[in-house]
Amino acid sequence: MLTNTVVLKNRGLLRQQAFVNGQWIDASNKDTYEVLNPATGAVIATVPSLSADEVELAIHGAAKAQKDWAAKTAQERSRILRRWFELMHENAEDLALLMTTEQGKPLAEARGEVAYAASFIEWFSEEARRVYGRIIPQPSNDRRLMVMKQPIGVVGAITPWNFPAAMLTRKAGPALAAGCAMVAKPAEDTPLTALALGVLAAEAGVPDGVLNIVTGKPDVVGPALMGSSIVRKVSFTGSTAVGKLLMRQAADTVKKLSLELGGNAPFIVFDDADVDAAVDGVMASKYRNTGQTCVCANRIFVQSGIYDSFTQKLAEKVSTMKVGAGTEDGVVQGPLINKAALEKVKRHVADAKAKGGRVLTGGDVHERGGSFFQPTVIADATPDMQVFVEETFGPVAPIFRFETEDEAVALANDTPFGLASYFFSRDLARIFRAAEALESGIVAVNSGVFSTEVAPFGGVKESGLGREGGQEGIEEYLETKFLCLGL
Ligand SMILES: NC(=O)c1ccc[n+]([C@@H]2O[C@H](COP(=O)([O-])OP(=O)(O)OC[C@H]3O[C@@H](n4cnc5c(N)ncnc54)[C@H](O)[C@@H]3O)[C@@H](O)[C@H]2O)c1
Ligand SMILES: O=C[C@H](O)CS(=O)(=O)O
């Protein structure tokens, strides 16, 4: 029972213990930490704060389990993953409720994330059976050459709070499909969804030790994963600052890394765009998850000829957005995850106003109090503002004016980040010029959303290394072996 009166149909999904080697465990020293509902501040659960020794227990259990898991046929692994996918759908409403309760996103968005998260398990249950090697035409007839793909082994996963289900399954799906075993650490703000996915994985037939969900302090669990020579790979999703720390820590064991890091997405609206469609595109991108996604439009660039009409239309739509707890009917903007996130948004808005930004709607904490903030549009934004340089991670849309295409692309690329870029244009030549010139791993044209399990997701520059999803996603969990067979 969640103390804020939310009751799950499948009460077994609410776990307040870590999942290690198929067992639900407390920390041996009984250390725990509280999980709060960001909409109310209520304590909804407590989970163990595991020690480094207990993380080691999970790592050794994963190493043991991984051998038998990799020895299964791809079809056997595929079928178990498929069952996990089915169970996620059968329990979708409970998973969504749990997610909204601990993360705050509107229930409709939580339902969407559960489906998105499940799609990675479905996709990689299929990809499991398409891990091909190849035969190489021999350079001399006294030998035969071949390439085989093998699972990396034990992998660590560290995931963020903003997509508590999808960021885990985007790693666990390909890892388990490849024959790896995983020790996953969810964000301390949102462990409950991950633990519930552990319940369903076990029910689906994922053997003990193949998937472990370890809860605890990042500065305890992180070093235990990064320092272990048994863990051959860590897949991290989170801030660029932590990603850089993990890169330094990975050096000691030459650990492979996948890094899905921070963003600072430009959203360019050219004067040949469909303005109404572009407004809808900004609404879909900027305010998704209350602005707390790595691919949210962070800087909106509008060509001067349509600047006034665009900003007016956007402000009108944003001013109608309903703010509240994610379980309330009609709510489309929930709370920010915590007080620190709220303070960052307040800091960005204050800085923009101090430097000449004009607030068209919102601009202050919401009357609900807590960590709620008014959906905001700021006109006359300039590149010297914090909203240009940093990822706001909140419901604030700064609108910058530009004159030429070259100026827009230069402004868009003027950042160390390169995860997603967006632009609206109906000029085909311009579409190809801009798509090729933008420095990001993902470019969305005439659309504010693109997330799908079938395409490679990832960034360039300081937004990360590697790709998740698509054909590429499983490669992150495979080693390539060259076999030379003398005859
Ligand atoms: N590229 C992507 O796919 C993607 C997706 C979601 C979020 N993000 C980024 O994540 C950031 C917001 O998420 P966040 O606040 O949870 O990020 P964060 O980096 O603070 O935390 C992410 C995860 O790392 C853990 N962590 C924190 N410090 C650690 C340490 N020293 N050692 C090991 N683990 C540590 C946290 O406990 C959490 O599980 C934003 O920058 C956002 O852009 C990127
Ligand atoms: O916040 C980061 C997520 O990766 C966004 S998405 O849902 O994958 O687009």
Side-chain angles (χ1 to χ4, degrees):
M1 169 83 80
L2 298 180
T3 52
N4 62 353
T5 73
V6 170
V7 177
L8 302 181
K9 292 189 187 71
N10 178 354
R11 297 190 179 191
L13 290 178
L14 176 58
R15 295 300 172 116
Q16 302 189 71
Q17 293 176 296
F19 185 48
V20 174
N21 297 331
Q23 303 302 310
W24 295 95
I25 68 166
D26 297 317
S28 50
N29 62 6
K30 300 305 177 198
D31 267 359
T32 60
Y33 67 85
E34 292 178 338
V35 184
L36 306 181
N37 178 336
T40 64
V43 175
I44 50 180
T46 61
V47 295
S49 193
L50 296 188
S51 68
D53 288 348
E54 281 146 351
V55 176
E56 272 293 316
L57 205 62
I59 293 169
H60 285 281
K64 183 169 178 292
Q66 189 268 331
K67 298 279 183 279
D68 292 341
W69 179 244
K72 286 183 181 295
T73 64
Q75 190 173 45
E76 287 169 324
R77 291 198 297 272
S78 172
R79 284 174 176 163
I80 291 170
L81 288 172
R82 176 77 199 180
R83 184 64 192 127
W84 190 15
F85 158 73
E86 291 163 356
L87 287 168
M88 286 181 71
H89 272 289
E90 289 168 21
N91 292 273
E93 193 57 22
D94 275 345
L95 290 171
L97 218 44
L98 204 49
M99 185 189 299
T100 291
T101 305
E102 69 172 350
Q103 197 271 341
K105 65 180 66 177
L107 207 45
E109 283 199 42
R111 292 184 182 114
E113 187 191 332
V114 172
Y116 179 48
S119 74
F120 287 104
I121 303 301
E122 180 187 39
W123 172 260
F124 287 106
S125 74
E126 297 157 356
E127 289 295 284
R129 301 180 65 189
R130 290 168 187 77
V131 177
Y132 300 125
R134 74 177 191 276
I135 299 287
I136 301 169
Q138 63 276 13
S140 61
N141 286 326
D142 63 345
R143 61 200 56 221
R144 295 294 182 268
L145 310 185
M146 59 198 78
V147 173
M148 60 175 64
K149 300 281 186 174
Q150 294 181 309
I152 279 186
V154 173
V155 300
I158 301 174
T159 55
W161 49 262
N162 62 343
F163 287 83
M167 297 305 98
L168 175 59
T169 59
R170 199 158 77 175
K171 301 172 188 310
L176 270 56
C180 295
M182 177 171 276
V183 180
K185 187 203 82 66
E188 46 278 34
D189 290 302
T190 55
L192 303 179
T193 304
L195 293 168
L197 290 175
V199 172
L200 297 179
E203 188 179 336
V206 173
D208 294 354
V210 170
L211 178 64
N212 303 274
I213 314 286
V214 293
T215 55
K217 297 187 180 72
D219 59 358
V220 172
V221 179
L225 290 173
M226 298 308 293
S228 168
S229 58
I230 297 172
V231 176
R232 293 310 320 139
K233 157 104 188 186
V234 166
S235 180
F236 170 74
T237 296
S239 63
T240 292
V242 174
K244 290 179 176 179
L245 169 69
L246 298 180
M247 287 184 83
R248 289 192 287 271
Q249 292 176 342
D252 292 342
T253 56
V254 192
K255 211 180 292 306
K256 286 182 165 41
L257 290 175
S258 292
L259 298 175
E260 296 288 352
L261 305 178
N264 184 4
F267 192 115
I268 305 168
V269 185
F270 290 105
D271 53 15
D272 63 276
D274 176 333
V275 173
D276 292 324
V279 168
D280 290 342
V282 168
M283 296 293 289
S285 170
K286 173 69 258 185
Y287 298 96
R288 181 174 166 228
N289 199 13
T290 313
Q292 300 172 116
T293 92
C294 57
V295 292
C296 282
N298 199 60
R299 300 167 292 150
I300 297 152
F301 302 101
V302 180
Q303 203 153 11
S304 54
I306 54 165
Y307 188 89
D308 294 338
S309 66
F310 178 90
T311 47
Q312 184 193 340
K313 287 183 175 189
L314 180 65
E316 282 167 9
K317 283 209 168 185
V318 171
S319 65
T320 65
M321 297 178 94
K322 186 177 177 184
V323 177
T327 49
E328 294 167 9
D329 286 347
V331 163
V332 294
Q333 293 287 278
L336 295 169
I337 187 66
N338 53 38
K339 286 282 191 226
L342 178 72
E343 289 309 312
K344 180 177 186 182
V345 171
K346 287 166 65 177
R347 194 169 59 247
H348 276 197
V349 171
D351 174 74
K353 288 165 68 175
K355 292 174 181 172
R358 185 162 44 94
V359 174
L360 302 185
T361 185
D364 204 346
V365 294
H366 193 269
E367 62 196 20
R368 289 282 293 249
S371 61
F372 290 95
F373 197 84
Q374 298 169 0
T376 297
V377 176
I378 298 174
D380 304 338
T382 50
D384 61 324
M385 295 175 181
Q386 288 177 3
V387 289
F388 184 93
V389 178
E390 295 177 8
E391 185 181 40
T392 301
F393 235 56
V396 177
I399 319 287
F400 303 79
R401 183 191 296 265
F402 72 91
E403 300 299 334
T404 68
E405 180 182 310
D406 287 348
E407 180 192 358
V409 170
L411 283 167
N413 289 336
D414 182 14
T415 171
F417 298 99
L419 186 54
S421 302
Y422 306 80
F423 67 87
F424 274 66
S425 168
R426 288 177 288 193
D427 176 328
L428 191 58
R430 167 174 279 170
I431 285 172
F432 275 96
R433 285 196 305 269
E436 290 166 1
L438 286 166
E439 297 166 358
S440 58
I442 304 163
V443 177
V445 183
N446 296 330
S447 173
V449 290
F450 51 76
S451 309
T452 172
E453 76 284 6
V454 305
F457 182 107
V460 299
K461 301 199 289 189
E462 296 191 20
S463 286
L465 299 172
R467 292 295 182 269
E468 295 191 313
Q471 280 182 297
E472 295 82 357
I474 202 165
E475 286 293 335
E476 302 284 335
Y477 298 95
L478 293 167
E479 290 287 12
T480 298
K481 180 174 282 179
F482 160 39
L483 180 61
C484 173
L485 183 62
L487 302 180

